[in-house]
Amino acid sequence: MSKKDQKLIFEMSQPGRIGYSLPELDVPRKDAAELLPDGYVREEAPELPEVSELDIMRHYTALSKRNHGVDSGFYPLGSCTMKYNPKINEDIARLDGLAHIHPLQQEETVQGALELMYDLQEHLKEITGMDEVTLQPAAGAHGEWTGLMMIRAFHEANGDFNRTKVIVPDSAHGTNPASAAVAGFETVTVKSGEDGLVDLEDLKRVVDETTAALMLTNPNTLGLFEENILEMAEIIHGVGGKLYYDGANLNAVMSKARPGDMGFDVVHLNLHKTFTGPHGGGGPGSGPVGVKADLMPFLPKPVLVKKDGMYQFDNERPQSIGRVKPFYGNFGINVRAYTYIRSMGPDGLKAVTEYAVLNANYMMRRLAPYFDLPYNRHSKHEFVLSGRRQKKLGVRTLDIAKRLLDFGYHPPTIYFPLNVEECMMIEPTETESKETLDAFIEAMIQIAKEAEETPEVVQEAPHTTVIGRLDETLAARKPVLRYEKEQ
Ligand SMILES: *Cc1c(COP(=O)(O)O)cnc(C)c1O
Protein backbone atom coordinates (compact mmCIF):
# COMPACT_ATOMS: atom_id res chain seq x y z
CA MET A 1 0.00 0.00 0.00
CA SER A 2 1.47 3.35 -0.95
CA LYS A 3 1.46 6.24 1.49
CA LYS A 4 -1.20 7.86 -0.65
CA ASP A 5 -3.90 5.30 -0.05
CA GLN A 6 -3.95 5.12 3.68
CA LYS A 7 -7.03 3.21 4.78
CA LEU A 8 -9.75 4.72 6.89
CA ILE A 9 -9.84 3.41 10.43
CA PHE A 10 -13.21 1.86 9.53
CA GLU A 11 -11.67 -0.03 6.64
CA MET A 12 -9.03 -1.51 8.94
CA SER A 13 -11.69 -2.89 11.24
CA GLN A 14 -11.76 -6.69 11.87
CA PRO A 15 -14.70 -8.10 13.85
CA GLY A 16 -13.69 -8.91 17.40
CA ARG A 17 -10.29 -7.20 17.32
CA ILE A 18 -9.76 -4.95 20.31
CA GLY A 19 -7.15 -2.46 21.39
CA TYR A 20 -7.61 -2.54 25.15
CA SER A 21 -7.85 -4.97 28.02
CA LEU A 22 -10.07 -4.07 30.94
CA PRO A 23 -9.99 -5.79 34.33
CA GLU A 24 -12.79 -8.26 34.96
CA LEU A 25 -16.09 -6.79 36.08
CA ASP A 26 -16.29 -6.90 39.87
CA VAL A 27 -19.62 -5.09 40.34
CA PRO A 28 -23.10 -6.26 39.35
CA ARG A 29 -23.68 -5.87 35.64
CA LYS A 30 -26.39 -3.41 34.62
CA ASP A 31 -27.83 -2.81 31.18
CA ALA A 32 -28.03 0.70 29.82
CA ALA A 33 -31.82 0.36 29.69
CA GLU A 34 -31.91 0.03 33.48
CA LEU A 35 -29.87 3.19 33.98
CA LEU A 36 -31.16 5.59 31.34
CA PRO A 37 -34.65 7.01 30.81
CA ASP A 38 -36.80 5.54 28.05
CA GLY A 39 -35.94 6.72 24.59
CA TYR A 40 -32.27 7.37 25.34
CA VAL A 41 -30.92 3.91 24.72
CA ARG A 42 -29.67 2.95 21.25
CA GLU A 43 -31.51 0.22 19.50
CA GLU A 44 -28.38 -0.99 17.77
CA ALA A 45 -24.79 -0.83 18.92
CA PRO A 46 -22.79 1.83 17.02
CA GLU A 47 -20.53 0.51 14.28
CA LEU A 48 -17.22 1.41 15.80
CA PRO A 49 -13.99 0.31 14.18
CA GLU A 50 -12.44 -2.75 15.81
CA VAL A 51 -8.66 -2.50 15.70
CA SER A 52 -5.62 -3.39 17.79
CA GLU A 53 -3.66 -0.87 19.84
CA LEU A 54 -0.79 -1.03 17.37
CA ASP A 55 -3.14 -0.44 14.43
CA ILE A 56 -4.62 2.62 16.01
CA MET A 57 -1.25 4.05 17.03
CA ARG A 58 0.10 3.64 13.51
CA HIS A 59 -3.05 5.04 12.01
CA TYR A 60 -2.95 8.26 13.99
CA THR A 61 0.81 8.62 13.72
CA ALA A 62 0.48 8.36 9.93
CA LEU A 63 -2.34 10.90 9.93
CA SER A 64 -0.33 13.29 12.10
CA LYS A 65 2.52 13.20 9.58
CA ARG A 66 0.16 14.45 6.90
CA ASN A 67 -0.81 17.38 9.04
CA HIS A 68 1.09 20.61 9.31
CA GLY A 69 1.89 22.11 12.69
CA VAL A 70 4.32 24.52 14.29
CA ASP A 71 6.36 21.58 15.57
CA SER A 72 6.66 20.11 12.08
CA GLY A 73 7.41 23.17 9.97
CA PHE A 74 7.38 26.90 9.34
CA TYR A 75 3.85 28.28 9.56
CA PRO A 76 3.68 31.92 8.41
CA LEU A 77 -0.09 32.34 8.77
CA GLY A 78 -0.70 36.08 9.00
CA SER A 79 -2.83 37.50 11.80
CA CYS A 80 -2.46 34.25 13.70
CA THR A 81 0.97 34.24 15.36
CA MET A 82 1.76 30.58 14.83
CA LYS A 83 4.88 30.50 16.94
CA TYR A 84 6.93 27.93 18.77
CA ASN A 85 5.35 26.56 21.94
CA PRO A 86 8.20 26.24 24.47
CA LYS A 87 8.31 22.74 25.87
CA ILE A 88 8.99 23.98 29.40
CA ASN A 89 5.38 25.23 29.35
CA GLU A 90 4.25 21.64 28.99
CA ASP A 91 6.40 20.44 31.89
CA ILE A 92 4.98 23.10 34.19
CA ALA A 93 1.39 22.53 33.08
CA ARG A 94 1.79 18.85 33.98
CA LEU A 95 2.94 19.45 37.55
CA ASP A 96 0.70 17.47 39.89
CA GLY A 97 -0.33 20.50 41.91
CA LEU A 98 -1.52 22.25 38.76
CA ALA A 99 -2.76 19.41 36.57
CA HIS A 100 -4.56 17.34 39.20
CA ILE A 101 -6.64 19.90 41.06
CA HIS A 102 -10.34 20.41 40.53
CA PRO A 103 -12.05 23.75 39.93
CA LEU A 104 -14.68 22.91 42.55
CA GLN A 105 -12.08 22.47 45.30
CA GLN A 106 -12.27 24.81 48.28
CA GLU A 107 -10.32 28.01 47.69
CA GLU A 108 -8.06 27.32 50.71
CA THR A 109 -6.81 24.14 49.04
CA VAL A 110 -5.83 25.74 45.70
CA GLN A 111 -4.16 28.95 46.83
CA GLY A 112 -1.14 28.24 44.60
CA ALA A 113 -3.25 27.98 41.46
CA LEU A 114 -5.18 31.12 42.38
CA GLU A 115 -1.94 32.95 43.08
CA LEU A 116 -0.62 31.93 39.66
CA MET A 117 -3.73 33.34 37.96
CA TYR A 118 -3.62 36.47 40.08
CA ASP A 119 0.05 37.05 39.25
CA LEU A 120 -0.62 36.42 35.58
CA GLN A 121 -3.32 39.11 35.70
CA GLU A 122 -0.83 41.47 37.34
CA HIS A 123 1.71 40.80 34.59
CA LEU A 124 -0.89 41.36 31.88
CA LYS A 125 -1.97 44.62 33.55
CA GLU A 126 1.63 45.77 33.45
CA ILE A 127 2.11 44.68 29.82
CA THR A 128 -1.09 46.35 28.59
CA GLY A 129 -1.25 49.36 30.93
CA MET A 130 -4.77 48.53 32.09
CA ASP A 131 -6.24 48.69 35.61
CA GLU A 132 -7.80 45.25 35.88
CA VAL A 133 -7.74 42.00 33.90
CA THR A 134 -10.07 38.98 33.76
CA LEU A 135 -8.86 35.60 32.57
CA GLN A 136 -12.34 34.21 31.93
CA PRO A 137 -12.81 34.50 28.13
CA ALA A 138 -11.86 31.36 26.23
CA ALA A 139 -10.56 32.95 23.02
CA GLY A 140 -9.90 36.22 21.26
CA ALA A 141 -13.37 36.53 19.81
CA HIS A 142 -14.87 35.66 23.19
CA GLY A 143 -12.75 38.42 24.74
CA GLU A 144 -14.02 40.88 22.12
CA TRP A 145 -17.60 40.00 22.93
CA THR A 146 -16.93 40.24 26.68
CA GLY A 147 -15.31 43.65 26.23
CA LEU A 148 -18.19 44.94 24.13
CA MET A 149 -20.75 43.69 26.65
CA MET A 150 -18.89 45.65 29.34
CA ILE A 151 -18.92 48.75 27.14
CA ARG A 152 -22.66 48.33 26.63
CA ALA A 153 -23.18 47.89 30.40
CA PHE A 154 -21.10 51.01 31.03
CA HIS A 155 -23.18 53.14 28.66
CA GLU A 156 -26.45 51.78 30.02
CA ALA A 157 -25.33 52.42 33.61
CA ASN A 158 -24.97 56.06 32.54
CA GLY A 159 -28.52 56.05 31.20
CA ASP A 160 -27.11 56.13 27.70
CA PHE A 161 -29.24 53.71 25.69
CA ASN A 162 -28.73 55.11 22.21
CA ARG A 163 -25.21 53.93 21.61
CA THR A 164 -26.01 51.28 19.05
CA LYS A 165 -22.98 51.46 16.78
CA VAL A 166 -19.50 50.00 16.86
CA ILE A 167 -16.99 51.33 14.37
CA VAL A 168 -14.64 48.82 12.77
CA PRO A 169 -11.94 49.63 10.17
CA ASP A 170 -12.08 47.68 6.91
CA SER A 171 -8.68 46.17 7.76
CA ALA A 172 -9.96 44.60 11.00
CA HIS A 173 -9.83 40.91 11.78
CA GLY A 174 -13.12 39.27 10.79
CA THR A 175 -14.00 38.48 14.38
CA ASN A 176 -14.36 42.21 15.22
CA PRO A 177 -17.52 42.93 13.21
CA ALA A 178 -18.82 39.46 14.13
CA SER A 179 -18.39 40.07 17.87
CA ALA A 180 -20.01 43.48 17.58
CA ALA A 181 -23.01 41.90 15.86
CA VAL A 182 -23.29 39.12 18.46
CA ALA A 183 -23.13 41.74 21.22
CA GLY A 184 -26.14 43.39 19.61
CA PHE A 185 -24.44 46.36 17.96
CA GLU A 186 -24.65 47.62 14.44
CA THR A 187 -21.21 47.76 12.83
CA VAL A 188 -20.07 50.75 10.87
CA THR A 189 -17.08 50.30 8.60
CA VAL A 190 -14.44 52.98 8.40
CA LYS A 191 -12.09 53.03 5.42
CA SER A 192 -8.32 52.72 5.33
CA GLY A 193 -6.49 55.34 3.34
CA GLU A 194 -3.85 54.85 0.63
CA ASP A 195 -1.25 54.41 3.35
CA GLY A 196 -3.14 51.47 4.89
CA LEU A 197 -4.01 53.41 8.04
CA VAL A 198 -7.49 54.38 9.25
CA ASP A 199 -8.71 57.40 7.30
CA LEU A 200 -9.27 60.07 9.98
CA GLU A 201 -11.64 62.11 7.82
CA ASP A 202 -13.79 59.05 7.22
CA LEU A 203 -13.69 58.32 10.95
CA LYS A 204 -14.89 61.83 11.81
CA ARG A 205 -17.69 61.40 9.31
CA VAL A 206 -19.10 58.20 10.92
CA VAL A 207 -18.69 59.17 14.58
CA ASP A 208 -21.59 60.61 16.57
CA GLU A 209 -23.43 60.23 19.86
CA THR A 210 -24.71 56.80 18.77
CA THR A 211 -21.11 55.51 18.73
CA ALA A 212 -20.58 52.94 21.49
CA ALA A 213 -16.98 52.11 20.61
CA LEU A 214 -14.24 51.93 18.03
CA MET A 215 -12.54 48.55 17.72
CA LEU A 216 -9.00 48.85 16.53
CA THR A 217 -6.41 46.23 15.74
CA ASN A 218 -2.96 47.65 16.19
CA PRO A 219 -0.77 46.92 14.39
CA ASN A 220 -3.60 46.48 11.91
CA THR A 221 -3.95 43.36 9.78
CA LEU A 222 -1.78 44.96 7.11
CA GLY A 223 0.99 44.81 9.71
CA LEU A 224 1.06 48.60 10.00
CA PHE A 225 1.15 50.58 13.21
CA GLU A 226 -1.79 52.98 13.41
CA GLU A 227 0.13 56.21 13.84
CA ASN A 228 -2.83 58.46 14.56
CA ILE A 229 -4.10 56.67 17.62
CA LEU A 230 -4.06 59.70 19.89
CA GLU A 231 -6.21 61.63 17.40
CA MET A 232 -8.55 58.67 17.06
CA ALA A 233 -8.85 58.42 20.85
CA GLU A 234 -9.73 62.11 20.98
CA ILE A 235 -12.36 61.74 18.26
CA ILE A 236 -14.02 58.73 19.92
CA HIS A 237 -13.79 59.98 23.51
CA GLY A 238 -14.98 63.36 22.28
CA VAL A 239 -18.41 61.89 21.54
CA GLY A 240 -18.44 59.69 24.67
CA GLY A 241 -17.49 56.43 22.95
CA LYS A 242 -14.99 53.84 24.19
CA LEU A 243 -11.82 52.55 22.55
CA TYR A 244 -11.38 48.82 22.15
CA TYR A 245 -7.93 47.37 21.37
CA ASP A 246 -7.67 44.03 19.62
CA GLY A 247 -4.38 42.84 21.08
CA ALA A 248 -4.43 39.30 19.70
CA ASN A 249 -1.03 39.86 18.12
CA LEU A 250 0.67 41.91 20.77
CA ASN A 251 4.10 40.57 19.87
CA ALA A 252 4.56 43.56 17.59
CA VAL A 253 4.43 46.13 20.38
CA MET A 254 4.83 44.26 23.68
CA SER A 255 7.28 46.01 26.03
CA LYS A 256 7.51 48.93 23.59
CA ALA A 257 4.08 50.55 23.77
CA ARG A 258 1.00 49.92 25.89
CA PRO A 259 -2.64 50.16 24.78
CA GLY A 260 -3.49 51.69 28.16
CA ASP A 261 -1.07 54.57 27.55
CA MET A 262 -2.55 55.21 24.09
CA GLY A 263 -6.00 55.89 25.52
CA PHE A 264 -7.64 52.51 25.10
CA ASP A 265 -10.38 51.55 27.54
CA VAL A 266 -10.56 47.82 26.85
CA VAL A 267 -8.06 45.36 25.40
CA HIS A 268 -8.05 41.65 24.79
CA LEU A 269 -5.00 39.45 24.36
CA ASN A 270 -4.68 36.01 22.83
CA LEU A 271 -2.60 33.92 25.21
CA HIS A 272 -2.66 31.19 22.54
CA LYS A 273 -0.85 33.51 20.12
CA THR A 274 1.44 36.07 21.69
CA PHE A 275 1.92 34.12 24.92
CA THR A 276 2.75 30.70 23.39
CA GLY A 277 -0.29 28.60 24.23
CA PRO A 278 -0.65 25.79 21.69
CA HIS A 279 -2.89 27.19 19.01
CA GLY A 280 -5.11 25.80 16.33
CA GLY A 281 -7.33 22.79 16.01
CA GLY A 282 -10.06 24.61 17.87
CA GLY A 283 -8.36 25.39 21.13
CA PRO A 284 -8.35 25.54 24.03
CA GLY A 285 -7.52 29.21 23.88
CA SER A 286 -7.52 32.07 26.30
CA GLY A 287 -8.55 35.65 25.62
CA PRO A 288 -8.04 37.74 28.77
CA VAL A 289 -9.59 41.18 28.80
CA GLY A 290 -8.12 44.25 30.46
CA VAL A 291 -10.10 47.36 31.32
CA LYS A 292 -9.60 50.86 32.67
CA ALA A 293 -10.98 51.76 36.10
CA ASP A 294 -14.36 53.10 34.93
CA LEU A 295 -15.20 49.72 33.37
CA MET A 296 -14.10 47.61 36.34
CA PRO A 297 -17.56 47.31 37.95
CA PHE A 298 -18.78 45.51 34.82
CA LEU A 299 -16.11 42.79 34.70
CA PRO A 300 -17.49 39.26 34.41
CA LYS A 301 -17.90 37.69 37.81
CA PRO A 302 -16.40 36.19 39.78
CA VAL A 303 -13.39 38.48 39.99
CA LEU A 304 -10.21 36.99 41.43
CA VAL A 305 -9.09 39.16 44.36
CA LYS A 306 -6.53 39.07 47.14
CA LYS A 307 -8.01 39.79 50.57
CA ASP A 308 -6.38 39.34 53.97
CA GLY A 309 -3.52 37.42 52.38
CA MET A 310 -5.91 34.93 50.70
CA TYR A 311 -6.77 34.62 47.02
CA GLN A 312 -10.50 34.36 46.50
CA PHE A 313 -13.30 34.74 43.99
CA ASP A 314 -15.44 37.80 44.55
CA ASN A 315 -19.04 37.33 43.45
CA GLU A 316 -20.39 40.51 45.04
CA ARG A 317 -20.36 42.49 41.81
CA PRO A 318 -23.85 43.92 41.32
CA GLN A 319 -23.01 45.65 38.02
CA SER A 320 -21.13 42.68 36.50
CA ILE A 321 -22.14 41.47 33.04
CA GLY A 322 -22.22 38.02 34.66
CA ARG A 323 -20.20 34.91 34.12
CA VAL A 324 -18.88 34.33 30.59
CA LYS A 325 -17.16 30.96 31.08
CA PRO A 326 -17.48 28.01 33.44
CA PHE A 327 -14.99 28.31 36.28
CA TYR A 328 -12.28 30.89 35.58
CA GLY A 329 -11.27 30.36 31.96
CA ASN A 330 -8.86 27.81 30.54
CA PHE A 331 -6.45 27.29 33.39
CA GLY A 332 -3.97 25.14 31.45
CA ILE A 333 -3.36 27.94 28.95
CA ASN A 334 -2.94 30.43 31.80
CA VAL A 335 -0.23 28.21 33.29
CA ARG A 336 1.62 28.15 29.96
CA ALA A 337 1.36 31.92 29.50
CA TYR A 338 2.55 32.50 33.06
CA THR A 339 5.50 30.14 32.53
CA TYR A 340 6.38 31.95 29.31
CA ILE A 341 6.26 35.43 30.86
CA ARG A 342 8.31 34.32 33.86
CA SER A 343 10.90 32.46 31.79
CA MET A 344 11.31 35.33 29.31
CA GLY A 345 11.43 38.16 31.84
CA PRO A 346 10.95 41.82 30.82
CA ASP A 347 14.06 41.91 28.62
CA GLY A 348 13.06 38.68 26.94
CA LEU A 349 9.62 40.02 26.10
CA LYS A 350 11.18 43.12 24.62
CA ALA A 351 13.47 40.95 22.48
CA VAL A 352 10.40 39.00 21.29
CA THR A 353 8.90 42.18 19.91
CA GLU A 354 12.14 43.26 18.28
CA TYR A 355 12.68 39.91 16.55
CA ALA A 356 9.04 39.62 15.45
CA VAL A 357 9.36 43.00 13.72
CA LEU A 358 12.88 42.39 12.40
CA ASN A 359 11.95 39.01 10.90
CA ALA A 360 8.88 40.42 9.16
CA ASN A 361 10.77 43.38 7.69
CA TYR A 362 13.69 41.20 6.57
CA MET A 363 11.36 38.86 4.74
CA MET A 364 9.33 41.70 3.28
CA ARG A 365 12.39 43.44 1.84
CA ARG A 366 13.83 40.26 0.39
CA LEU A 367 10.54 39.31 -1.29
CA ALA A 368 9.69 42.81 -2.51
CA PRO A 369 11.58 42.45 -5.85
CA TYR A 370 9.52 39.37 -6.76
CA PHE A 371 6.00 40.29 -5.63
CA ASP A 372 4.08 43.55 -5.38
CA LEU A 373 4.39 45.38 -2.10
CA PRO A 374 1.18 47.41 -1.75
CA TYR A 375 2.33 49.34 1.32
CA ASN A 376 5.96 50.25 0.98
CA ARG A 377 6.71 51.18 4.57
CA HIS A 378 8.11 49.47 7.64
CA SER A 379 5.86 46.73 8.87
CA LYS A 380 5.40 45.38 12.36
CA HIS A 381 5.02 41.63 13.01
CA GLU A 382 3.46 40.84 9.62
CA PHE A 383 3.25 42.27 6.12
CA VAL A 384 1.17 41.90 3.01
CA LEU A 385 2.23 41.16 -0.53
CA SER A 386 0.05 41.23 -3.60
CA GLY A 387 0.18 38.52 -6.26
CA ARG A 388 -1.23 40.82 -8.96
CA ARG A 389 1.96 40.59 -11.02
CA GLN A 390 1.65 36.79 -11.05
CA LYS A 391 -2.07 37.00 -11.77
CA LYS A 392 -1.25 38.65 -15.10
CA LEU A 393 0.73 35.49 -15.91
CA GLY A 394 -2.27 33.31 -15.08
CA VAL A 395 -1.05 32.31 -11.63
CA ARG A 396 -3.34 33.18 -8.76
CA THR A 397 -2.42 33.67 -5.12
CA LEU A 398 -4.32 30.47 -4.36
CA ASP A 399 -1.95 28.64 -6.74
CA ILE A 400 1.08 30.11 -4.97
CA ALA A 401 -0.33 28.96 -1.62
CA LYS A 402 -0.88 25.44 -2.98
CA ARG A 403 2.63 25.35 -4.48
CA LEU A 404 4.13 26.22 -1.08
CA LEU A 405 2.76 22.90 0.22
CA ASP A 406 5.20 21.13 -2.13
CA PHE A 407 8.04 22.85 -0.30
CA GLY A 408 6.68 21.65 3.04
CA TYR A 409 5.32 25.00 4.17
CA HIS A 410 1.95 25.94 5.51
CA PRO A 411 0.83 28.83 3.29
CA PRO A 412 0.34 32.34 4.59
CA THR A 413 -3.14 33.82 5.03
CA ILE A 414 -4.50 34.62 1.57
CA TYR A 415 -7.16 36.91 0.11
CA PHE A 416 -7.30 38.91 3.34
CA PRO A 417 -7.43 41.82 3.97
CA LEU A 418 -9.95 42.20 1.18
CA ASN A 419 -8.77 45.61 0.06
CA VAL A 420 -5.50 44.15 -1.29
CA GLU A 421 -5.81 42.37 -4.62
CA GLU A 422 -4.53 38.75 -4.57
CA CYS A 423 -3.35 39.32 -1.03
CA MET A 424 -0.82 37.23 0.89
CA MET A 425 -0.47 38.12 4.56
CA ILE A 426 2.75 36.75 5.99
CA GLU A 427 3.73 36.56 9.66
CA PRO A 428 7.07 34.85 10.20
CA THR A 429 7.04 35.32 14.03
CA GLU A 430 10.05 35.93 16.26
CA THR A 431 10.84 32.31 16.95
CA GLU A 432 12.24 31.40 13.51
CA SER A 433 15.94 31.36 12.66
CA LYS A 434 17.47 33.27 9.76
CA GLU A 435 18.08 29.93 8.00
CA THR A 436 14.38 29.07 8.18
CA LEU A 437 13.39 32.52 6.94
CA ASP A 438 15.88 32.26 4.07
CA ALA A 439 14.65 28.82 3.04
CA PHE A 440 11.08 30.09 2.84
CA ILE A 441 12.19 33.17 0.91
CA GLU A 442 14.03 30.94 -1.59
CA ALA A 443 10.87 28.85 -2.07
CA MET A 444 8.82 31.99 -2.72
CA ILE A 445 11.41 33.26 -5.21
CA GLN A 446 11.40 29.94 -7.02
CA ILE A 447 7.60 30.04 -7.23
CA ALA A 448 7.76 33.58 -8.64
CA LYS A 449 10.19 32.30 -11.32
CA GLU A 450 7.97 29.31 -12.08
CA ALA A 451 5.04 31.68 -12.56
CA GLU A 452 7.00 33.28 -15.39
CA GLU A 453 8.62 30.22 -16.91
CA THR A 454 6.43 27.20 -16.19
CA PRO A 455 3.14 28.55 -14.84
CA GLU A 456 1.42 25.15 -15.12
CA VAL A 457 3.68 23.82 -12.36
CA VAL A 458 2.15 26.37 -10.00
CA GLN A 459 -1.35 26.19 -11.40
CA GLU A 460 -1.50 22.43 -10.91
CA ALA A 461 0.12 22.35 -7.46
CA PRO A 462 0.32 20.70 -5.02
CA HIS A 463 2.18 17.76 -6.53
CA THR A 464 3.55 16.07 -3.43
CA THR A 465 0.66 15.98 -0.97
CA VAL A 466 -1.63 13.02 -0.40
CA ILE A 467 -4.61 14.85 -1.83
CA GLY A 468 -4.45 17.59 -4.44
CA ARG A 469 -6.93 20.43 -4.32
CA LEU A 470 -9.86 20.04 -2.02
CA ASP A 471 -13.18 21.71 -2.54
CA GLU A 472 -12.61 24.62 -0.18
CA THR A 473 -16.21 24.93 1.02
CA LEU A 474 -17.71 21.48 0.57
CA ALA A 475 -16.19 20.06 3.74
CA ALA A 476 -17.71 22.87 5.80
CA ARG A 477 -21.07 22.76 4.07
CA LYS A 478 -21.44 18.98 3.89
CA PRO A 479 -19.48 17.40 6.71
CA VAL A 480 -19.25 13.60 6.64
CA LEU A 481 -20.97 12.66 9.87
CA ARG A 482 -21.00 8.93 9.38
CA TYR A 483 -18.90 6.48 7.44
CA GLU A 484 -20.99 4.50 5.01
CA LYS A 485 -19.51 1.18 3.91
CA GLU A 486 -19.46 0.70 0.18
CA GLN A 487 -21.78 -2.14 -0.74
C1 LIG B 1 -6.78 35.55 16.02
C2 LIG B 1 -7.32 36.90 16.08
C3 LIG B 1 -8.57 37.13 16.67
C4 LIG B 1 -9.50 36.03 17.13
O1 LIG B 1 -8.97 35.20 18.11
P1 LIG B 1 -9.60 33.76 18.38
O2 LIG B 1 -8.89 33.25 19.57
O3 LIG B 1 -9.33 32.95 17.14
O4 LIG B 1 -11.06 33.92 18.61
C5 LIG B 1 -9.00 38.44 16.75
N1 LIG B 1 -8.25 39.47 16.28
C6 LIG B 1 -7.05 39.27 15.70
C7 LIG B 1 -6.27 40.44 15.20
C8 LIG B 1 -6.54 37.99 15.58
O5 LIG B 1 -5.35 37.80 15.00
Side-chain angles (χ1 to χ4, degrees):
M1 191 176 67
S2 81
K3 250 179 110 176
K4 284 212 174 204
D5 17 74
Q6 184 181 351
K7 282 187 175 175
L8 297 177
I9 189 89
F10 292 93
E11 292 166 335
M12 294 163 61
S13 181
Q14 292 296 330
R17 189 166 290 169
I18 54 172
Y20 58 87
S21 48
L22 294 179
E24 264 182 54
L25 192 67
D26 60 357
V27 290
R29 191 190 162 85
K30 284 228 196 270
D31 281 338
E34 292 174 65
L35 297 166
L36 294 173
D38 284 350
Y40 287 91
V41 181
R42 285 175 179 277
E43 280 166 17
E44 278 170 44
E47 262 185 67
L48 297 178
E50 297 176 81
V51 293
S52 71
E53 185 179 298
L54 190 56
D55 288 340
I56 202 159
M57 287 307 297
R58 286 182 181 159
H59 181 71
Y60 283 109
T61 303
L63 282 181
S64 75
K65 287 185 189 158
R66 295 176 165 195
N67 209 349
H68 202 98
V70 175
D71 283 347
S72 63
F74 182 56
Y75 207 129
L77 196 65
S79 199
C80 285
T81 310
M82 302 299 291
K83 73 194 211 182
Y84 169 63
N85 307 138
K87 297 304 167 251
I88 187 177
N89 291 359
E90 302 307 311
D91 291 345
I92 303 297
R94 281 166 182 71
L95 290 178
D96 259 1
L98 297 174
H100 294 152
I101 50 176
H102 194 281
L104 290 179
Q105 262 175 253
Q106 297 295 317
E107 284 167 5
E108 309 84 82
T109 68
V110 287
Q111 283 294 302
L114 298 184
E115 180 177 1
L116 183 150
M117 290 194 280
Y118 187 87
D119 283 355
L120 175 58
Q121 291 180 174
E122 293 298 304
H123 287 303
L124 298 179
K125 274 159 66 174
E126 178 65 31
I127 289 169
T128 56
M130 306 306 276
D131 296 320
E132 194 57 86
V133 165
T134 175
L135 299 176
Q136 267 193 52
H142 194 196
E144 292 166 25
W145 176 82
T146 302
L148 290 170
M149 292 303 280
M150 281 191 264
I151 290 174
R152 163 188 295 272
F154 169 85
H155 290 312
E156 291 184 358
N158 290 332
D160 205 347
F161 293 92
N162 294 324
R163 297 200 178 260
T164 51
K165 292 180 191 148
V166 168
I167 301 172
V168 183
D170 58 3
S171 62
H173 193 270
T175 49
N176 289 189
S179 302
V182 175
F185 291 105
E186 195 184 313
T187 59
V188 180
T189 307
V190 59
K191 283 200 305 262
S192 312
E194 296 265 295
D195 55 2
L197 305 180
V198 169
D199 181 337
L200 286 185
E201 291 312 310
D202 199 40
L203 180 64
K204 283 185 200 148
R205 201 177 50 74
V206 299
V207 160
D208 59 23
E209 62 291 342
T210 64
T211 303
L214 167 71
M215 294 180 89
L216 201 70
T217 308
N218 188 39
N220 65 27
T221 49
L222 299 166
L224 304 176
F225 191 88
E226 292 286 355
E227 289 169 3
N228 306 314
I229 280 192
L230 298 179
E231 287 91 325
M232 286 190 228
E234 236 177 79
I235 295 169
I236 298 297
H237 287 153
V239 296
K242 291 285 180 199
L243 249 81
Y244 185 99
Y245 189 102
D246 180 334
N249 313 108
L250 205 74
N251 45 345
V253 296
M254 188 167 58
S255 300
K256 295 281 180 186
R258 307 193 308 169
D261 299 335
M262 301 174 202
F264 284 89
D265 304 287
V266 188
V267 53
H268 89 262
L269 304 174
N270 278 24
L271 299 191
H272 49 292
K273 290 181 182 171
T274 308
F275 297 92
T276 65
H279 170 192
S286 178
V289 173
V291 293
K292 284 284 177 61
D294 55 354
L295 284 153
M296 271 160 57
F298 309 101
L299 280 167
K301 60 181 180 183
V303 176
L304 180 56
V305 296
K306 188 176 177 184
K307 224 158 108 190
D308 310 326
M310 289 277 287
Y311 298 94
Q312 43 194 283
F313 285 118
D314 179 9
N315 270 296
E316 300 307 313
R317 297 275 171 154
Q319 287 186 290
S320 165
I321 60 165
R323 186 183 272 285
V324 301
K325 176 88 174 70
F327 306 118
Y328 200 63
N330 284 326
F331 179 61
I333 298 298
N334 297 337
V335 174
R336 289 168 175 86
Y338 177 80
T339 306
Y340 175 66
I341 291 171
R342 292 297 307 275
S343 51
M344 296 304 285
D347 291 341
L349 293 182
K350 193 180 270 182
V352 162
T353 300
E354 290 168 358
Y355 281 111
V357 173
L358 179 64
N359 285 358
N361 280 284
Y362 173 69
M363 194 173 264
M364 179 176 86
R365 290 299 163 198
R366 282 211 52 201
L367 288 175
Y370 304 92
F371 298 88
D372 273 16
L373 185 62
Y375 302 101
N376 188 6
R377 50 193 295 155
H378 287 323
S379 71
K380 288 290 172 215
H381 61 301
E382 64 191 3
F383 61 97
V384 296
L385 295 176
S386 165
R388 57 191 161 213
R389 201 185 310 170
Q390 285 71 28
K391 189 181 172 189
K392 293 199 188 101
L393 305 166
V395 169
R396 305 284 313 267
T397 282
L398 179 67
D399 303 323
I400 296 171
K402 295 295 180 193
R403 182 70 177 129
L404 277 170
L405 295 172
D406 289 331
F407 292 86
Y409 294 116
H410 191 287
T413 297
I414 56 173
Y415 295 106
F416 184 81
L418 301 172
N419 54 342
V420 174
E421 189 190 352
E422 296 292 312
C423 188
M424 287 172 263
M425 191 210 283
I426 302 178
E427 180 180 3
T429 80
E430 70 278 6
T431 51
E432 300 295 342
S433 67
K434 179 163 180 297
E435 291 74 22
T436 302
L437 301 181
D438 285 336
F440 179 79
I441 290 165
E442 292 308 324
M444 287 290 282
I445 293 173
Q446 182 176 329
I447 295 170
K449 288 193 177 135
E450 286 172 351
E452 287 176 9
E453 292 159 14
T454 51
E456 65 286 353
V457 172
V458 191
Q459 288 156 345
E460 288 160 20
H463 305 279
T464 60
T465 56
V466 178
I467 297 172
R469 296 215 184 181
L470 295 167
D471 183 321
E472 303 268 315
T473 49
L474 191 68
R477 297 233 169 108
K478 278 184 125 181
V480 179
L481 298 176
R482 185 158 184 268
Y483 169 68
E484 305 284 352
K485 260 198 205 111
E486 276 174 50
Q487 296 304 322

